[in-house]
């Protein structure tokens, strides 16, 4: 059992109202430029950009601070090839028979299909795993103990948001890809039974001729509901 945490004064940077506004607007302007990219260049990416993004993701709040995530970083061409082949096998099956007509129609405007060359073109793949439960050893017997994790879905979702923001601010493109089912990722990457694949993120520079669909985001009015002044 955890003992009670020691408490210490919060280190909190106070900013002038002007600086607050400036920083908040600058961040919004940057984030508005993020686009999901499906066509990647093979141009190499400095590893530290990926490491810093993962370290940033790992600052995310999590249920009971259990930090229920593992970020697997793949640049090995053979592994990327294996992942592409397995993802395309699943995606082909999905597009051809598993996805409902309704789903296919909802997606059709994006023009996606089962071909996933970006899984080999992008210099890095980050596979995020959610730890459904933790594993520790009984201090006396050494037996494996399973520790219940709280809000692991929400926690990993928040961490992935920070990861995408960091990579975008570092001038990199990403794709939030969820081939379905994703079990093949656990097998290829030899992950333990408590880890569930959450999302597969190719990371790199966009291809020179990368194109993105013309889409809009909902306006503030459409997404924000207010009570009070
Ligand atoms: N996983 C498939 C299909 C797909 C599903 C959703 I929801 C998207 O927003 C985009 C694609 C694929 O990656 O092609």
């Amino acid at each position: 059992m955890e003992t009670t945490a020691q408490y210490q004064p919060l280190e909190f940077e106070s900013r002038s109202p002007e600086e607050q506004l400036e920083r908040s607007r600058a961040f919004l302007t940057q984030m508005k430029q993020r686009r999901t990219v499906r066509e990647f260049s093979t141009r190499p990416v400095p590893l530290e950009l990926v490491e810093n993004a993962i370290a940033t993701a790992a600052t995310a709040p999590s249920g009971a601070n259990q930090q229920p995530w593992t970020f697997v970083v793949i640049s090995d061409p053979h592994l990327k090839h294996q992942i592409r082949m397995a993802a395309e096998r699943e995606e082909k099956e999905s597009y051809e028979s598993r996805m409902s007509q309704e789903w296919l129609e909802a997606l059709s405007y994006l023009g996606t299909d089962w071909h996933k060359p970006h899984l080999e073109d992008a210099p890095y793949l980050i596979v995020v795993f959610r730890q459904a439960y933790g594993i520790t050893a009984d201090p006396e017997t050494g037996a494996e103990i399973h520790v219940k994790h709280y809000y692991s879905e929400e926690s990993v979702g928040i961490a992935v948001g920070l990861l995408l923001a960091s990579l975008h601010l570092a001038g990199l493109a990403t794709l939030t890809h969820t081939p379905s089912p994703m079990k093949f990722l656990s097998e290829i990457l030899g992950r333990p039974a408590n880890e569930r694949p959450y999302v597969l993120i190719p990371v790199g520079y966009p291809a020179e001729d990368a194109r993105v669909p013309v889409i809009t985001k909902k306006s503030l009015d459409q997404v924000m509901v207010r009570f009070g002044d």
Side-chain angles (χ1 to χ4, degrees):
M1 269 294 109
E2 289 288 319
T3 52
T4 310
Q6 297 282 324
Y7 270 72
Q8 65 186 12
L10 171 69
E11 272 175 43
F12 183 80
E13 222 170 315
S14 246
R15 302 183 193 281
S16 69
E18 297 73 33
E19 194 191 356
Q20 284 183 288
L21 261 185
E22 196 188 314
R23 290 171 65 102
S24 143
R25 286 177 181 157
F27 188 65
L28 173 60
T29 302
Q30 292 249 40
M31 291 309 297
K32 276 186 167 173
Q33 286 169 12
R34 189 200 57 78
R35 292 300 311 259
T36 287
V37 166
R38 293 189 166 79
E39 293 149 313
F40 285 83
S41 156
T42 57
R43 181 179 153 202
V45 164
L47 176 63
E48 191 187 338
L49 300 181
V50 172
E51 289 177 334
N52 289 344
I54 292 172
T56 299
T59 68
S62 62
N65 193 35
Q66 286 171 320
Q67 307 169 59
W69 41 62
T70 305
F71 301 88
V72 178
V73 179
I74 303 133
S75 53
D76 178 79
H78 174 68
L79 260 187
K80 286 200 295 182
H81 179 70
Q82 259 186 288
I83 290 172
R84 174 184 178 182
M85 292 298 121
E88 288 187 334
R89 201 175 312 122
E90 293 295 2
E91 291 285 75
K92 189 163 190 294
E93 182 76 26
S94 291
Y95 275 94
E96 288 176 358
S97 54
R98 288 195 292 234
M99 288 157 79
S100 66
Q101 207 47 41
E102 193 182 18
W103 191 355
L104 289 171
E105 274 162 27
L107 277 180
S108 67
Y109 79 104
L110 289 176
T112 56
D113 62 26
W114 61 266
H115 295 92
K116 304 297 174 194
H118 45 260
L119 294 176
E120 285 191 270
D121 293 337
Y124 287 107
L125 302 179
I126 303 178
V127 185
V128 184
F129 286 88
R130 174 181 71 87
Q131 298 170 1
Y133 54 90
I135 300 176
T136 53
D138 184 302
E140 265 134 53
T141 64
E144 191 173 288
I145 297 177
H146 291 183
V147 181
K148 188 171 163 51
H149 276 169
Y150 300 94
Y151 298 100
S152 62
E153 292 276 1
E154 292 83 349
S155 305
V156 177
I158 297 167
V160 169
L162 296 182
L163 181 79
L164 298 179
S166 171
L167 292 166
H168 171 65
L169 261 62
L172 292 169
T174 55
L175 168 63
T176 33
H177 182 39
T178 50
S180 175
M182 288 197 279
K183 201 172 183 309
F184 69 89
L185 291 168
S186 307
E187 288 156 10
I188 293 174
L189 301 170
R191 300 313 303 164
N194 65 325
E195 292 188 4
R196 309 286 142 78
Y198 187 86
V199 66
L200 165 53
I201 306 175
V203 178
Y205 296 97
E208 294 275 326
D209 56 352
R211 287 153 59 90
V212 289
V214 179
I215 53 170
T216 53
K217 295 291 181 186
K218 290 181 180 174
S219 68
L220 186 60
D221 282 353
Q222 290 172 299
V223 299
M224 180 170 139
V225 178
R226 254 183 100 217
F227 292 94
D229 320 310

